Amino acid sequence: MRDGTRMVADEVPVAIVHDGATYAVMMASPADLTDFAIGFSLTEGIIDTPDEVDDLELVETDLGWVVRLWLSKRPRAALTTRRRRLTGPAGCGLCGVESLGEAVKPARPVGAGRPLTPLALATAFDAMSQQQALGRLTRAAHAAAFLAPDGSMTVREDVGRHNALDKLIGALARTGIDTTQGAILMTSRVSVELVQKAAMAGAPILAAVSAPSTLAVKLADDAGMTLVAVARSDGFEIFSHPHRIQPEQEQIRVA
């Protein structure tokens, strides 16, 4: 045993406030918070586009961060019926949901998308790992990435996998990237809420390094989404709608 130092990931409370009322308080990494608030608002169904946010303000306090959003008329009305006050740990995607039906609601159906080759998928996971600056420094952060048809990639990180995906979805929406023609990659297992969030973004392919739950597989299948998991250097497994992955090598296993 020897003394030493290491980088530790920041984790702070982040309050998301719509029109003066706190909608959620999440434990998150204090980076890309504009993307986080926009993405969270999109995946919660509060807004349909970033244009429905009239203004946004980031406020740092002694306890954490407050992200204040002022909404246009349409989402303001929807918020009245959708509101949930919650405190969510970094690993929680459904904390505070008031009914079982809300927790297991069907994922939004996705479109046809474009096929993806195994080589392109493997290359994308390698490229994502190279862009995980926080993960390399701390070994305590998840990443979510979007692979566009032209091979370009957008990556966001957070201590929570749901937060990372919300940040990614917010970043994509703010820059106008078409999520219906690419694939979302995750460094985590595949949970129900990740399928729901990816479907809200319109992504036809969701791929992750760890295995999915049974309900996640069902939701992805019902939504028409291609779900790829257990992605490793020697192959991966396809759990739903394998037609979007064009086989090139025998290492592909259809579960």
Side-chain angles (χ1 to χ4, degrees):
M1 185 172 61
R2 62 183 180 181
D3 293 336
T5 60
R6 70 160 6 257
M7 185 72 70
V8 178
D10 285 337
E11 182 180 17
V12 302
V14 178
I16 298 178
V17 179
H18 296 108
D19 292 332
T22 300
Y23 185 87
V25 179
M26 307 297 290
M27 301 303 297
S29 301
D32 301 309
L33 293 182
T34 297
D35 291 339
F36 181 38
I38 295 295
F40 182 85
S41 299
L42 286 166
T43 60
E44 283 288 296
I46 296 170
I47 61 174
D48 290 333
T49 71
D51 291 339
E52 292 183 323
V53 176
D54 290 339
D55 198 7
L56 185 150
E57 180 185 17
L58 299 177
V59 180
E60 186 176 13
T61 74
D62 292 339
L63 298 177
W65 284 85
V66 178
V67 188
R68 297 171 179 162
L69 301 93
W70 287 268
L71 307 178
S72 61
K73 184 176 181 180
R74 189 212 63 78
R76 190 180 306 128
L79 183 61
T80 302
T81 60
R82 184 68 180 88
R83 184 175 305 283
R84 65 175 185 181
R85 285 188 172 89
L86 63 91
T87 299
C92 176
L94 294 172
C95 300
V97 171
E98 295 180 354
S99 72
L100 295 177
E102 181 70 12
V104 296
K105 65 181 180 180
R108 178 181 292 181
V110 300
R114 298 188 184 187
L116 188 65
T117 66
L119 178 60
L121 190 60
T123 301
F125 271 105
D126 287 341
M128 178 172 66
S129 67
Q130 297 302 312
Q131 296 187 45
Q132 291 175 234
L134 183 62
R136 285 197 305 273
L137 286 173
T138 65
R139 303 297 181 187
H142 284 292
F146 180 75
L147 174 64
D150 64 0
S152 62
M153 179 171 287
T154 303
V155 179
R156 290 294 183 270
E157 293 182 279
D158 196 275
V159 291
R161 62 186 187 275
H162 312 101
N163 300 340
L165 182 52
D166 278 333
K167 287 180 178 181
L168 174 68
I169 291 171
L172 298 172
R174 292 178 65 212
T175 53
I177 295 176
D178 183 7
T179 54
T180 67
Q181 301 299 314
I184 288 178
L185 282 60
M186 299 291 305
T187 59
S188 66
R189 67 179 178 86
V190 183
S191 57
V192 169
E193 54 271 34
L194 292 186
V195 172
Q196 291 170 333
K197 288 177 183 291
M200 285 292 286
I205 301 173
L206 175 62
V209 300
S210 295
S213 67
T214 55
L215 187 53
V217 173
K218 181 182 185 304
L219 289 184
D221 189 47
D222 291 346
M225 178 184 293
T226 298
L227 181 58
V228 178
V230 199
R232 299 290 190 270
S233 59
D234 62 343
F236 51 82
E237 300 178 11
I238 307 174
F239 288 81
S240 63
H241 298 279
H243 64 278
R244 293 191 184 91
I245 306 299
Q246 298 180 342
E248 289 180 338
Q249 301 176 22
E250 294 181 356
Q251 80 256 24
I252 303 174
R253 307 178 295 276
V254 180

